[in-house]
Amino acid sequence: MGCPHVCSGATLQCSFGAAPATLNVLPVNRTLIGGMPAANIMDYIPLVNITTFGMCQSLANPTVASATAAAMGALTPMPCIPATATPWIPGVPTLLLGNMPALDANCTLMCTWAGVIKVVYPGQVQMLIP
């Protein structure tokens, strides 16, 4: 069985985020999975596609580094504003949505502040029928 494809409403988690986030997929590709817009690797735009993960704990994030320095070195998480600048990898090269590879549950997304964003729940479930 293949890996589930990702659609709008999927749950994401960042390695430095304090809370899960939701993937928002705009219906521009006109492809639905279970009634929800299907995602491709280009659905990585901060605050449009990738919502906030609550608080960021990465010292690579300048706001966290500043707050931590002001607190005499005690890690001080700051509000997360995703800094995703490149598409999801690797994508599904055999399935194109809007001329770009589709997104499946094995794909990851890198945040500029060193976080790795993974799909926790793809937004749809594949059912096996015996």
PDB file of all heavy atoms in Angstrom, residues 5-7 31-39 97 103 123-124:
ATOM      1  N   HIS A   5      -1.754  10.412   0.487  1.00  0.00           N
ATOM      2  CA  HIS A   5      -1.533  11.755  -0.049  1.00  0.00           C
ATOM      3  C   HIS A   5      -2.077  12.781   0.928  1.00  0.00           C
ATOM      4  O   HIS A   5      -3.003  12.512   1.686  1.00  0.00           O
ATOM      5  CB  HIS A   5      -2.176  11.888  -1.427  1.00  0.00           C
ATOM      6  CG  HIS A   5      -1.503  11.037  -2.452  1.00  0.00           C
ATOM      7  ND1 HIS A   5      -0.276  11.348  -2.978  1.00  0.00           N
ATOM      8  CD2 HIS A   5      -1.864   9.873  -3.013  1.00  0.00           C
ATOM      9  CE1 HIS A   5       0.086  10.407  -3.828  1.00  0.00           C
ATOM     10  NE2 HIS A   5      -0.868   9.498  -3.864  1.00  0.00           N
ATOM     11  N   VAL A   6      -1.500  13.959   0.912  1.00  0.00           N
ATOM     12  CA  VAL A   6      -1.839  15.012   1.870  1.00  0.00           C
ATOM     13  C   VAL A   6      -2.854  15.963   1.255  1.00  0.00           C
ATOM     14  O   VAL A   6      -2.769  16.298   0.073  1.00  0.00           O
ATOM     15  CB  VAL A   6      -0.559  15.773   2.289  1.00  0.00           C
ATOM     16  CG1 VAL A   6      -0.872  16.920   3.219  1.00  0.00           C
ATOM     17  CG2 VAL A   6       0.429  14.806   2.943  1.00  0.00           C
ATOM     18  N   CYS A   7      -3.799  16.391   2.078  1.00  0.00           N
ATOM     19  CA  CYS A   7      -4.796  17.354   1.617  1.00  0.00           C
ATOM     20  C   CYS A   7      -4.986  18.440   2.667  1.00  0.00           C
ATOM     21  O   CYS A   7      -4.413  18.392   3.753  1.00  0.00           O
ATOM     22  CB  CYS A   7      -6.120  16.662   1.297  1.00  0.00           C
ATOM     23  SG  CYS A   7      -6.915  15.880   2.689  1.00  0.00           S
ATOM     24  N   THR A  31      -8.022  19.565  -7.633  1.00  0.00           N
ATOM     25  CA  THR A  31      -8.004  18.136  -7.350  1.00  0.00           C
ATOM     26  C   THR A  31      -8.382  17.951  -5.892  1.00  0.00           C
ATOM     27  O   THR A  31      -7.800  18.584  -5.018  1.00  0.00           O
ATOM     28  CB  THR A  31      -6.602  17.539  -7.612  1.00  0.00           C
ATOM     29  OG1 THR A  31      -6.223  17.824  -8.962  1.00  0.00           O
ATOM     30  CG2 THR A  31      -6.601  16.039  -7.381  1.00  0.00           C
ATOM     31  N   LEU A  32      -9.357  17.065  -5.647  1.00  0.00           N
ATOM     32  CA  LEU A  32      -9.832  16.834  -4.286  1.00  0.00           C
ATOM     33  C   LEU A  32      -9.489  15.426  -3.829  1.00  0.00           C
ATOM     34  O   LEU A  32      -9.467  14.489  -4.629  1.00  0.00           O
ATOM     35  CB  LEU A  32     -11.347  17.038  -4.205  1.00  0.00           C
ATOM     36  CG  LEU A  32     -11.886  18.407  -4.615  1.00  0.00           C
ATOM     37  CD1 LEU A  32     -13.410  18.411  -4.518  1.00  0.00           C
ATOM     38  CD2 LEU A  32     -11.295  19.509  -3.765  1.00  0.00           C
ATOM     39  N   ILE A  33      -9.227  15.308  -2.535  1.00  0.00           N
ATOM     40  CA  ILE A  33      -9.055  14.012  -1.881  1.00  0.00           C
ATOM     41  C   ILE A  33     -10.057  13.998  -0.738  1.00  0.00           C
ATOM     42  O   ILE A  33      -9.951  14.813   0.182  1.00  0.00           O
ATOM     43  CB  ILE A  33      -7.636  13.820  -1.321  1.00  0.00           C
ATOM     44  CG1 ILE A  33      -6.606  13.803  -2.434  1.00  0.00           C
ATOM     45  CG2 ILE A  33      -7.547  12.538  -0.506  1.00  0.00           C
ATOM     46  CD1 ILE A  33      -5.168  13.709  -1.962  1.00  0.00           C
ATOM     47  N   GLY A  34     -11.026  13.118  -0.801  1.00  0.00           N
ATOM     48  CA  GLY A  34     -12.039  13.065   0.248  1.00  0.00           C
ATOM     49  C   GLY A  34     -12.771  14.391   0.413  1.00  0.00           C
ATOM     50  O   GLY A  34     -13.130  14.761   1.521  1.00  0.00           O
ATOM     51  N   GLY A  35     -12.945  15.112  -0.671  1.00  0.00           N
ATOM     52  CA  GLY A  35     -13.660  16.385  -0.615  1.00  0.00           C
ATOM     53  C   GLY A  35     -12.807  17.575  -0.220  1.00  0.00           C
ATOM     54  O   GLY A  35     -13.293  18.702  -0.145  1.00  0.00           O
ATOM     55  N   MET A  36     -11.517  17.373   0.049  1.00  0.00           N
ATOM     56  CA  MET A  36     -10.604  18.454   0.447  1.00  0.00           C
ATOM     57  C   MET A  36      -9.571  18.678  -0.659  1.00  0.00           C
ATOM     58  O   MET A  36      -9.158  17.727  -1.315  1.00  0.00           O
ATOM     59  CB  MET A  36      -9.892  18.097   1.754  1.00  0.00           C
ATOM     60  CG  MET A  36     -10.814  17.884   2.938  1.00  0.00           C
ATOM     61  SD  MET A  36     -11.784  19.330   3.344  1.00  0.00           S
ATOM     62  CE  MET A  36     -10.549  20.346   4.086  1.00  0.00           C
ATOM     63  N   PRO A  37      -9.113  19.932  -0.869  1.00  0.00           N
ATOM     64  CA  PRO A  37      -8.086  20.187  -1.886  1.00  0.00           C
ATOM     65  C   PRO A  37      -6.800  19.406  -1.613  1.00  0.00           C
ATOM     66  O   PRO A  37      -6.310  19.377  -0.487  1.00  0.00           O
ATOM     67  CB  PRO A  37      -7.839  21.695  -1.765  1.00  0.00           C
ATOM     68  CG  PRO A  37      -9.091  22.245  -1.163  1.00  0.00           C
ATOM     69  CD  PRO A  37      -9.588  21.175  -0.238  1.00  0.00           C
ATOM     70  N   ALA A  38      -6.275  18.773  -2.654  1.00  0.00           N
ATOM     71  CA  ALA A  38      -5.037  17.995  -2.549  1.00  0.00           C
ATOM     72  C   ALA A  38      -3.829  18.924  -2.596  1.00  0.00           C
ATOM     73  O   ALA A  38      -3.843  19.955  -3.268  1.00  0.00           O
ATOM     74  CB  ALA A  38      -4.969  16.977  -3.676  1.00  0.00           C
ATOM     75  N   ALA A  39      -2.759  18.551  -1.875  1.00  0.00           N
ATOM     76  CA  ALA A  39      -1.554  19.381  -1.780  1.00  0.00           C
ATOM     77  C   ALA A  39      -0.478  18.916  -2.752  1.00  0.00           C
ATOM     78  O   ALA A  39      -0.366  17.725  -3.056  1.00  0.00           O
ATOM     79  CB  ALA A  39      -1.014  19.334  -0.354  1.00  0.00           C
ATOM     80  N   LEU A  97       0.235  17.422  -9.611  1.00  0.00           N
ATOM     81  CA  LEU A  97      -0.947  18.245  -9.357  1.00  0.00           C
ATOM     82  C   LEU A  97      -0.552  19.671  -9.705  1.00  0.00           C
ATOM     83  O   LEU A  97       0.343  20.229  -9.075  1.00  0.00           O
ATOM     84  CB  LEU A  97      -1.373  18.174  -7.892  1.00  0.00           C
ATOM     85  CG  LEU A  97      -1.791  16.818  -7.344  1.00  0.00           C
ATOM     86  CD1 LEU A  97      -2.084  16.918  -5.854  1.00  0.00           C
ATOM     87  CD2 LEU A  97      -3.007  16.307  -8.083  1.00  0.00           C
ATOM     88  N   LEU A 103       2.030  15.892  -2.813  1.00  0.00           N
ATOM     89  CA  LEU A 103       2.596  15.789  -1.464  1.00  0.00           C
ATOM     90  C   LEU A 103       2.037  14.534  -0.804  1.00  0.00           C
ATOM     91  O   LEU A 103       0.826  14.308  -0.820  1.00  0.00           O
ATOM     92  CB  LEU A 103       2.186  17.035  -0.673  1.00  0.00           C
ATOM     93  CG  LEU A 103       2.886  17.313   0.638  1.00  0.00           C
ATOM     94  CD1 LEU A 103       4.364  17.561   0.408  1.00  0.00           C
ATOM     95  CD2 LEU A 103       2.258  18.519   1.296  1.00  0.00           C
ATOM     96  N   GLY A 123      -4.667  14.221   6.639  1.00  0.00           N
ATOM     97  CA  GLY A 123      -5.946  14.851   6.328  1.00  0.00           C
ATOM     98  C   GLY A 123      -6.947  13.908   5.702  1.00  0.00           C
ATOM     99  O   GLY A 123      -8.093  14.250   5.502  1.00  0.00           O
ATOM    100  N   GLN A 124      -6.508  12.705   5.404  1.00  0.00           N
ATOM    101  CA  GLN A 124      -7.394  11.678   4.856  1.00  0.00           C
ATOM    102  C   GLN A 124      -6.833  10.314   5.218  1.00  0.00           C
ATOM    103  O   GLN A 124      -5.648  10.191   5.500  1.00  0.00           O
ATOM    104  CB  GLN A 124      -7.542  11.820   3.339  1.00  0.00           C
ATOM    105  CG  GLN A 124      -6.254  11.791   2.565  1.00  0.00           C
ATOM    106  CD  GLN A 124      -5.913  10.431   1.958  1.00  0.00           C
ATOM    107  OE1 GLN A 124      -6.769   9.570   1.801  1.00  0.00           O
ATOM    108  NE2 GLN A 124      -4.670  10.224   1.623  1.00  0.00           N
TER     109      GLN A 124
END
